[in-house]
Amino acid sequence: MAVPVAFFAVFFAYPVAAILARGLEVDGAWRFGRIADVLAQPDVRHVLWFTTWQALASTALTLLIALPGAYVFARFDFPGKQVLRAVVTVPFVLPTVVVGTAFLALVGRGGLLDELGGVRLDTTVWAILLAHVFFNYAVVVRTVGGLWAQLDPRQEEAARMLGASPLRAWRQVTLPALAPAVAAAALMVFLFTFTSFGVVQILGGPTFSTLEVEIYRQTSQVFDLSTAAVLTLIQFAAVCAILAVHAWTVRRRETALRLVDAAGTARRPRGTGQWALLAGVLVTVAVLLVLPLAVLVERSLGAPGLGYYRALTREDGGAFLVPPIEAVGNSLQYAVAATAIAVVIGALAATALTRRDAGRFVRGFDALLMLPLGVSAVTVGFGFLIALDEPPLDLRSSWILVPLAQALVGVPFVVRTMLPVLRAVDVRLREAAAVLGASPWRVWREVDLPMVRRALLVAAGFAFAVSLGEFGATVFIARPDNPTLPVAVARLLGRPGDMNYGQAMALSTILMVVCAVALVVLERLRTDRSGEF
């Protein structure tokens, strides 16, 4: 545990504490009364209200649209199902900057809807809500559909034989069994939308702002660290509450259900109603998930002779000190380094958490590993600049700063992926190897590693995809001569002109393709065939 604890203490707790201290400390004393002062501001209350309202609306709309898809993937067997499952999952692994850019190409100025009917939604809340549904559709389909596929269909059939209508049988038999999974999916969608940054930053404009966006504005534009620190504390408290409720629902899901093999529950659609439902889901996927990405690709090809892509190879002397195309190589190098760090730290933490003799401190550290997902990435990035600028940790000019920030987000995914597999290893195998004289390192190398190798590769893939698209912290610490892909896209979108807009579409398309390739590799390596994340 020494290495993971030291890593999180130095590169997470210390920077976050430093930025909070800068904002709340006055004359050597912490002014907690500043929290009430900030909450009394009308603009802040409006941000809090909009953050909560749009998260609730996004969650409800996502459940409404995605639950039919969860049923189709769980109960129907049809040609191309595995391909469609991968298509549905692509939006979830895309960086939020790409999602925002894709919907900007669809509903923004000069977008598809603008050209066809003069309709623009980029300055309305509907663009944000639809982008959130696009991003979180897979969360509901995978989480609820994975459990739905394992529920014994004979229970609902028995209710039908006893005279219950299809709706009543579903409401009284299936829905109660699905409730924990639906609640877990809803909480995860709410968490992702409550902390939304890239989507709202691109589509919200000056009108709409979530807590994360407001923290960024107060930090980088207004330079009001006090207000930013208070907003960070508010967001942190809210996210901790969401994670606590989510952990409770997951425990209920794990202990309250009797499941069957998912392979035997899917069948071909029968009857007009089921075929109509399948067709409706296919149309939804095509319009809501595929169309924005297709429009993004089409806009990137708008200039003759791949002009937007060729423009990426030239220096413009403006927002970039190097040709924008170099952001591709920078992102790949940073992501590889971040993945290596996340895998080492996450594997050590997951191994320690599987020990039978793990103390209360180790078990508590399991919950602390999730905190980087709850603390504002903007706060972490700015905290890096403030805290890591003096010897012996003067890293402000070092390239390693970006991978360290990205690894913080990747570690929880590594731990969550490896922990179930490590806990499934029979402890007697380790004890037998130890009795035969093997050292602890050799026991891990020859007993645990062969069993968790595939899970380790999956964890590395998740960490790579997450690192590749990290934006909130990287936007602060990426150097102008070494931009990452998400940072480069945001800079191009912030500049006027069709050429800058086209280059942003081209870079977003490149980033989308790289993430899609990572997803294909993940699908081939997945060890859990239940359909859940």
Side-chain angles (χ1 to χ4, degrees), residues 196-396:
S196 181
F197 177 57
V199 168
V200 181
Q201 176 77 357
I202 292 175
L203 297 176
T207 306
F208 302 108
S209 178
T210 58
L211 271 173
E212 188 84 356
V213 174
E214 187 63 18
I215 292 171
Y216 173 75
R217 191 180 75 86
Q218 294 290 339
T219 304
S220 64
Q221 299 176 11
V222 183
F223 303 106
D224 186 351
L225 293 185
S226 179
T227 299
V230 172
L231 295 178
T232 297
L233 288 175
I234 294 172
Q235 178 172 303
F236 180 70
V239 169
C240 285
I242 296 170
L243 290 176
V245 176
H246 178 260
W248 177 71
T249 59
V250 168
R251 285 196 298 272
R252 282 189 58 199
R253 183 179 60 179
E254 291 176 346
T255 58
L257 298 175
R258 187 187 65 218
L259 306 177
V260 298
D261 184 9
T265 61
R267 53 179 172 76
R268 291 186 66 83
R270 291 180 296 185
T272 305
Q274 292 187 356
W275 281 107
L277 177 60
L278 175 59
V281 170
L282 293 177
V283 170
T284 300
V285 171
V287 173
L288 184 64
L289 305 185
V290 177
L291 182 60
L293 299 180
V295 174
L296 174 65
V297 176
E298 186 271 333
R299 288 295 185 268
S300 72
L301 300 173
L306 300 177
Y308 294 142
Y309 288 91
R310 286 190 289 105
L312 295 175
T313 63
R314 298 193 296 263
E315 296 185 25
D316 62 358
F320 300 95
L321 301 180
V322 295
I325 194 64
E326 291 194 13
V328 178
N330 295 335
S331 289
L332 293 176
Q333 293 175 19
Y334 288 144
V336 169
T339 300
I341 297 171
V343 167
V344 171
I345 301 298
L348 289 173
T351 302
L353 291 171
T354 58
R355 298 277 299 183
R356 281 187 173 183
D357 55 351
R360 183 177 301 176
F361 171 77
V362 175
R363 292 192 296 270
F365 189 66
D366 186 17
L368 295 178
L369 290 171
M370 299 297 291
L371 289 184
L373 300 181
V375 173
S376 166
V378 172
T379 300
V380 174
F382 199 65
F384 269 39
L385 294 182
I386 290 178
L388 306 179
D389 62 343
E390 296 179 356
L393 288 174
D394 187 3
L395 302 176
R396 288 184 62 171

Side-chain angles (χ1 to χ4, degrees), residues 63-78:
L63 290 175
L64 179 66
I65 295 176
L67 281 177
Y71 175 78
V72 165
F73 279 101
R75 294 304 196 202
F76 291 171
D77 186 18
F78 52 91

Side-chain angles (χ1 to χ4, degrees), residues 7 78-79 141 253 305 310 440 469 484 523:
F7 178 81
F78 52 91
V141 169
R253 183 179 60 179
R310 286 190 289 105
T484 64
E523 283 293 322

